[in-house]
Amino acid sequence: MHDAITLRKPHSNDGYSVFKLIKNSPPLDTNSAYCNLLQCSHFASTSVIAISNEKTVGFISAYIKPEQADTLFVWQVAVCDSARGQGLAKKMLSHIVERDSCDLVSHLETTITEDNKASWALFESFTQQYQTELVRSVMFDKEQHFGGEHATELLARIGPFKRAKDQRKSA
């Protein structure tokens, strides 16, 4: 259990702690430390870091798709063992989509392997929170895209949804 958890945009100085969090969170795919540095700087406005007692306890990397300004693509979600079961991942997702940088976002996409029950539960819960639907389809096939060495990645497309702050404005 953690004391108060602060959610904020990441900074380049957070990159290495994010790298260590992901490395210690199997079965997540570990990217290079350099990749995490880029995520924390280039994609800061659409990513979030969770800090408790000066320790990184959660991170979501995401970006707005270059050819679809209405779609936020969630690259990776990581929560340390001791912070799981508190709804942190869903709070982090909401924290991102409610930002001004996501004003045009009405859809969220991510890829998930069929057997990743925790991720499916997270995104289905997010779908319920935003009162919309989740559609699954194959994005990257095990044989065609991964040479049989990685499970098929299913695309989860959520939306359309209205952000909470937009719903308050129209009420």
Side-chain angles (χ1 to χ4, degrees):
M1 191 78 159
H2 286 271
D3 292 333
I5 296 175
T6 301
L7 303 180
R8 64 170 171 77
K9 292 178 185 177
H11 308 289
S12 60
N13 292 346
D14 297 314
Y16 191 68
S17 71
V18 166
F19 173 74
K20 290 191 315 186
L21 171 68
I22 293 169
K23 185 176 178 182
N24 293 321
S25 301
L28 292 180
D29 292 331
T30 304
N31 297 299
S32 69
Y34 183 75
C35 176
N36 296 129
L37 289 167
L38 290 174
Q39 290 171 323
C40 289
S41 53
H42 290 188
F43 302 124
S45 67
T46 52
S47 296
V48 64
I49 191 166
I51 305 291
S52 179
N53 296 322
E54 300 182 28
K55 180 182 176 202
T56 300
V57 297
F59 180 72
I60 294 179
S61 55
Y63 58 89
I64 295 174
K65 291 178 72 175
E67 303 298 323
Q68 287 178 273
D70 69 341
T71 303
L72 180 74
F73 187 87
V74 176
W75 182 342
Q76 200 164 43
V77 177
V79 175
C80 74
D81 285 340
S82 63
R84 291 188 184 149
Q86 302 175 45
L88 179 58
K90 189 163 82 168
K91 288 176 191 167
M92 290 191 300
L93 275 178
S94 294
H95 190 268
I96 295 170
V97 301
E98 295 297 333
R99 289 182 186 161
D100 291 344
S101 59
C102 291
D103 276 350
L104 300 178
V105 171
S106 61
H107 290 78
L108 185 149
E109 290 182 349
T110 193
T111 62
I112 310 170
T113 56
E114 186 66 45
D115 64 347
N116 189 334
K117 292 178 179 26
S119 287
W120 286 113
L122 166 62
F123 288 100
E124 287 167 1
S125 177
F126 181 86
T127 299
Q128 291 171 359
Q129 177 181 335
Y130 283 86
Q131 301 175 347
T132 190
E133 64 180 354
L134 184 155
V135 177
R136 298 179 188 205
S137 61
V138 172
M139 183 158 177
F140 297 119
D141 178 76
K142 178 179 181 174
E143 298 303 325
Q144 182 180 358
H145 297 100
F146 293 115
E149 296 182 18
H150 187 286
T152 294
E153 291 279 348
L154 298 174
L155 176 69
R157 181 165 169 83
I158 298 169
F161 60 84
K162 283 191 172 188
R163 299 169 325 138
K165 70 182 200 177
D166 295 335
Q167 291 174 356
R168 286 191 295 273
K169 287 178 190 172
S170 65

